[in-house]
Structure formats: structure tokens, C-alpha cells
Amino acid sequence: MKLFDCLSSFGLLVTSSFVLHSFGIAAQNASSPWPVHDNGLNDVVEWDHYSFKVNGKRLFVFSGELHYWRIPVPEVWRDLLEKIKAAGFTAYAFYGNWGYHSPNNFMLDFTTGAHDFSPLLEIAKEVGLYVIVRPGPYVNAEANAGGFPLWLTTGAYGKLRNDDPRYTEAWKPYFAKYSEITSKHLVTNGGNAFVYQMENEYGQQWVGDPTHRVPNVPAGNYMQMLQDSARENGIDIPVIHNDPNMWTRSWSKDFSNSTGNVDVAGLDSYPSCWSCNLDECTGTNGEYVAYQTINYYDHFIENSVTQPKFFPEFQGGSYNPWDGPQGGCPNDIGADFANLFYRDLISQQISAISLYMMYGGTNWGAFAAPVTATSYDYSSPISENRIVGNKFYETKNLAMFTRVAHDLTMTDRLGNSTRYSTNPAIKSKILVTDFTLGDERLIYSTAEVLTFSIVDRKPVLVLSVGIGESVEFYLKGAKEGKVAKNRGASDVKFHRESHGLIVNLAQGPGASVIKLDNGVTVVVADKITAYKIWAPNLTNDPFAPVDKSVIVEGPYLVRGVFSSDEGKTLALTGDSAITTAIEVFASRSVRTLTWNGKNLNTSRTEYGSLTAHIQGVSHIIKLPPLDTWKVHDSLSEALPDYDDSGIAWVEADHTTTPNPTKPDTLPVLYVDDYGFHNSLHLFRGYFSGPATGVHISIAGGTAFGWSAWLNNIHIGSFFGNSTFGSETGNLTLSFSNATLHTDTSNILLIVQDNTGHGLREQATNPRGILNATLTGTNTTFKKWEIAGTAGGDNKILDPVRGPLNEGGLVAERLGWHLPGYDASSWNASSPSTGFSGAGIKFYRTTVPLDIPKGLDVSIGFILNAPGPQAIRVQLFVNGYQYARFNPYIGNQIEFPVPPGVLNYSGENTIGWRFGVRVLRGRRWRLIGRSCIVWRVVGVLALIQSI
Ligand code: GAL
């Protein structure tokens, strides 16, 4: 009490042991001595050391990242953006992926299927979210080559990420087109994109110690060229950057006036590491210390003192490494992490946060860099299968508060001493004093504010407490109060004070409603009940004005609200798979509620809210069994008389390579040098003479593998491993088990399953054979032929799925994985029967689905194999490669596949190839009656009545 008494003339926040205050936005605007910046082109977006302003209004940016290329179904993007909006966010962010848009150095695709990202920006406008656009050219993102196109990885374009003219010429068309498309959706142009990021984590402004400020000239030139290109192509919003850590100090105008500086310099941080393999947590962000928050405040003061404290990336989860557990690694970065760390940011005056990732998605096709498995779930608030759970709700509870607590956009730090609280257990609460609720004031509250809405000119305030915690709040101007609804409240006391009314209570599970005589309604909910309290807005204004929002308690998700019938009907949209009671605080003029278009039997409570029940889903979704399969051998290339003169094959005849890593033997057998880049590649080496064996060294990235056959006899396999950073697999194989022809050509077939190109400077590490040396003879290989993705990178045969979908297996080259392929002549067999020995088989089935319209059903495939079999399996669903199941190396067994890739009302073509890294003499199979099962991961929603 004392604390608040002595400071009661200020707006004030107590966050753990920190105290922030705001004098109120109006007062500060008039008197602030701090410069307000704009980018010199317009003042639509401005900023100062407090926050961003859009069209003159201060904005608390609570944003989250998603990657459209990791969910290649534009129809699903709306679902994700509506979920982000429902969570109280004001913005979202996305990276581009140059490689997805550019199959070769003369083509760009921004129009076919999900390559057209403009719907993302249009939906953002419709649902009311500002957008942070981050085109690259380099993004990192655990994407193959960090999002670079794979044709760029050969070394022919230099080291990349500098001002080398070869690289410059390469990125310009991509970056120009990206800017041009985005420019139609800027806040300066009626859209919602409000900042544009240059590069990513490019902390390379300085040579040596940044405090000496010795510019790295090529880096500065590169950053400047990016900005010039963006400006030339219509980007007139502020350009930003995302510095990788606190010691690189790059691109801030407050730190230097060097070439390449951006308008607003942001920082990223992953305090709990960025991988659930904690051994990796030593580099970029320093040593991992569990639940230890980090001091960023001083860094921002030193580095960007006149700019908002901005995290274009803050840890929203962590990626799934090959050896990580199935389902990701949520333990260190679950709901508790969100609760503590995001509040801590606010205590450090951060006013712009973007969570990386908000929705992670899937590394389908060859999207992954070698470090990560198929799943990019990222333990993010919205799961890969689009389900939301506690982490989403925990994040939502804070974001909803930041959206209504406008003073957060203008706070000063009073201090960070523990004298503000005598309770050491207080770690992460944000408690407000003198908090504005429209025309009313909350003098203080010991419960956190979840949100508030102004309904018929009076506030409905929602407070959130830990279960059983006692609460005290003091409302200015009230004299009396009563408990209008008691759900778990006890010891309720009202105490009249000189300025208003103090209310005390203990709140158990549930939400109680207290009415005060000045018209204020206070809902006090325990935290878990508050998880299901929403504040949808009647406008698409990202600021979500409080007098246009309603409060809804009950459903799993409330996406939106609109009013019809001259305000008499309130139409809610949302998800609820189970029958749920809802309570709505909305204008008295509303008489009826609808839920996803269906009228609800609506009643009014004594205290003015509306109640109803929404029906859950009664359908039991049964998926047809996957038990009728056809099989075809997919390794004809091992046969000595196989004809490799066809168009799929390229003779490897290069004797030099632009790659900085030179091979030990010639010809050059780097696949990218021959226009092949993804997943599986085949090498056929011809030799004659009396060799006794062969030494092979192949670079393929962490978790890659390869197998070799001599004259159709399997002679060995490199199984691979998940060791972080392991790039190559070397074996010396004996020919003793094979029959060697002394006078004719022998064929050594090598099948390599490449896991992609590495990140940052490792992007140009070669993929392919580094050394192929015959042993026991002086003879060398006479000739090598290479096959990869059909058409190489000159012809893009499948523009919809795009350049990263397929590899070079005969099954892929001949389209066995595609819908419509006629496999009627194939033999019947199933992957659960499997096969003996080393080989590659392709299994195929077609199954109908008939998911009732209006249901949002999430479906996943589960793969299993008895024991840690040395098999490598890929799943193709309607031609999309949606799983890499490598049980010998990785732990992922469940693979969600989104609607749109699966046809929910028609036939689906499911293909499998498995084999490659197998031992001889054993039967390899997948388990389960039908070997592969698919299951309904969840019925997420009843979108419309059926
Ligand atoms: C960041 C980077 C992101 C992503 C993340 C780890 O440092 O900017 O692109 O790689 O690490 O998931």
C-alpha cells in the first residue's frame, strides 16, 4: 500500500523487482526531449526511444513469425493469422526464401501456388495485423543454405553476403521483385506492412572489436545496396535489422554514421538456446543457463538509445534437431518460459517483440538445413499441426494485456531494486497502478490485468490470478460493489476509501463477476480460466480499439466477431470441438449470438452479459486403412546394363570447380556443379581392371547417408549420424563379395541421400563425392554419370510444389509419387511386409477421404519400424514430400500433413520409398498392421455448421 501511496500520481508498473512508469502518453508527447525519427521519406511510421508510432499512434508491437513456405497451402494461412490475431498480437512477421522462389539464376516464381505470398499481406489487412517483412536475401531459419537458392552454393558467386558483383547481380532480381510486391501492401499505401528487414543476423559491420568502429567495407556496401534496391522498388517504410547478439553492434545510427546503417536496429535473443540439444547452446547467445533472464536494457542504451528497444526475433521455441525427441523440446521453452521471459522483456522497456516462431510448420521437401529434422514445430505457441495449447494461451494472456495497456509504449525505468517488493517469490508479474480504463481508473491491482473492453461506455475489466491467490484492487470513483456471479470467489470484502473502493477476494478455479456502482464490471478469473477468455474486435484496426471489442469466455478459440442486424446480433467465429458454455460481455443492444453462422439460444444474465452453449463436434472421423499397396523396385540404376545415356543423366566431366573446397579426385563430383541439388543423387562410376575395393568420401550434411553397389551387388553403406556439424561419410569398401569383370566395364553405383546445405558460410560447402579412389590397382574411374532431380535446375517441371520438393530417385524422376500415375501393373505388397537385403522400393496407394465439410481436422502420419532399423524412408502425399523418417538417426515418428496437401474430399496418393542405407540379409519393414498409420491428430474446429 505504501508503495502505491507514494507514487500514486504516476502511471506505474511493477514487474518482478523492476518499476517502470509512464506519465501518460499525452503528457509525454508534449514534453519529451527525445528525438522522434522518421525515415526521411514520410512520417507514416515514426519512432523514438520509447516505441514505434504508426500514423501518429504509439504501437506496442507483439508479433510472431511464420514461414509461408513451410506451409505451402495459402488456404491455411488465414487460419494461422486469425489465431495470431486472437492471441492479442498486433503484428506478425515472415521471412522470404529466395531458394523457394528461384529454381535457377534466370527464373523467379512469385505467382504459382504458395509462391505468391501477397495473400498473406492481404489477409493481414483483413484480420488486422501489422506486418514485419523479412525477405533476406539470406534468412538462416534452419532452411537449406539458409534460404539461399541452391544454385548459388557452388562457389561461382563468391563467398556470398558481401558486395562481390557476382553475388550482387544474383540477389538483385529476387530482392527487387520481393520489394515491388510488398510495396503494394505498405502502411504508406493502405496496407499493413510497417517495417522491412535487410538481411538477417548480419552482424558484420565492423572489423575486429566493434567499439573501435573500423568499418567492414564490403559488408557496409552490401547493406547499403540492399536498402537502395528496396527504396528503388517502392519500399518507403522504415528498414530494420536483426543483430545476432549484443557484441556485434551492427547497423545502428546511434552507434555510428557508417555506411549501411538501417532506420531501426533490432536485436535477437534465444536465452534458452535455439535447439533442444543443449550441447549446441554455447555459440551465438552465450552459455545456456536455465531460466536465467538476460540484461538487454544496457545494450539498447549503449547501442540504439534513440530507437525503440526492439526484438525482431525473441525465442518462441527451438528447432527440432535430428537427435531431439519426437514432438520437439518444449521442456525449457514451454508456457512457463513464455510467462517469465516475455514479462521480463517488458520490465526492460522493450516495446517491440516478435516471437520466433509463432508457427513453425514443416520442412517438407528439401527445405531443411542439415541440422534439423522434418518437423519445424519449434515447440511454438501454434503447433505444426495447428493445435493451440498452454503455451499459446500463456502468450495470449500477456499479449492481450500489452494491446490494451497503451502506457507500455511510453515507459521510463524508475529502478530495478528489490526494495519494491519484499516477496522474493515475485518473479514475473506485471502489476499496474493508476491504470486507465476509458474514463475510469484502476488505482492498483495485485492481480494482473488480462484485458479490458469499453462496453456501452463502461469498462469491463478482466483480472487474472493464480488459483487460490488473494487479490486486492482499488477502483477510483466507486463506492459500492457486489458479487454478481460467484464461481470460485471467497472472502470477498469491499472497503470504501477516500478515492474509491478497495475489493478483496480469493479466487479459485473459475471466473467471478463483480459489479461496481460506477458501472464498472470486473471479471476475476484464475489463470487457466483466463486462457479461454478472448477479446475479439469489431474492426480490423491492428490497435484493436477497446471500445470496439467484446469479451468472450469459454471456447478453445475465438477468432473474430462482427455485428449484424443493426447491432442486434453478434456473430462470433471460432473453434470448439466440444460443447462449451460461453459468456459474452457486449453492448446491451445485442440480443442474439451466433457461432460460426449458427443461431445460439441466447440468454441475458442479471448483470447484463449474454450466455449460450455452443455445440461440439459429434462426428467421429474415421480414416480409411492404408492397407492396399503396390510396389516397384526403385534401383534399376544398379544393374550393369542400365542405360544412363538418357536425359536424366549428366556426364560429370568437370575438371575444375568454383567451390573453395577442392575435391581430392577428379572429375569433380559435386552435384550442385551439375545443376542437381536436392535429397537423393545417383552416381554411376565406370571402371575396368582388377581393383580390390574403393575408398569413397562423400559430403552430404549432418544425418545424411549413402550406399554403394558394385555390378548390382550391395557392397556397403554409410549410415550417418546426428552429430552436430558432421558433414562427410568416408568408407573403404571391399569388392570381395561382388563379381568383378576384368575386361569389361564395372559399374559402381552410389546413392547419396543429402540433407541439404549448411547455414551461413557453410552454405557453399560442397555436396557430393570428395574422393573416389579404387584400391589394389593403379586404375582410375573412366567415367562418371550423375542423376538428380528431373530436369536439373534448368527446367522446373513442377512449379506448384517448386524446386525443393524432389530428389533424383527414379521414382521421382518418373513421377511415381504424383497423383495420376498408372501403377496398375505393379505387384501388390506393402511396406509392412518390407523386403530383404539392400535396396530401394517405392510403395504406392490411393485412398479416398471424406472429411465432413466445415470441420477443421488435423491429420498426421505415424511411421514406425521395429528397432533402430538402418532405413531411410520418405513419404510423398499427393506428390509433396512430407516426411523423412530415419529411425536410425532421428526420433520423429509423427508427421502432420495439412489439408490442401491432403485432399479432404477425394482421392489421395500416398507414396513411400524406403531403403538405401540397409544391411544385407535382413528383412526391412515398417511395423503396424498396415505399416503406416495415419491418424486424426485433432478435430480443431467446427468452422461452420454441418
Ligand atoms: C536465429 C536466426 C533464425 C533462426 C534461429 C534459430 O539466430 O535469426 O533465422 O536460425 O536463430 O532457430
Side-chain angles (χ1 to χ4, degrees), residues 95 139-142 200-201 268 270 274 313 319 356 376 378:
Y95 277 148
V139 295
N140 208 56
E142 290 72 67
N200 182 52
E201 290 201 322
D268 80 10
Y270 293 77
W274 60 96
E313 285 177 25
Y319 66 80
Y356 187 100
Y376 204 69
Y378 216 85

Side-chain angles (χ1 to χ4, degrees), residues 10-11 21-31 406-407 410 436 441:
F10 304 111
H21 80 148
S22 166
F23 290 92
I25 289 173
Q28 285 266 6
N29 273 345
S31 63
H406 290 305
D407 285 357
M410 234 180 153
T436 307
R441 292 244 142 176

Side-chain angles (χ1 to χ4, degrees), residues 428-446:
S428 63
K429 287 210 180 213
I430 299 182
L431 306 181
V432 302
T433 70
D434 205 17
F435 187 74
T436 307
L437 302 166
D439 296 335
E440 308 293 339
R441 292 244 142 176
L442 177 64
I443 297 176
Y444 67 80
S445 165
T446 65

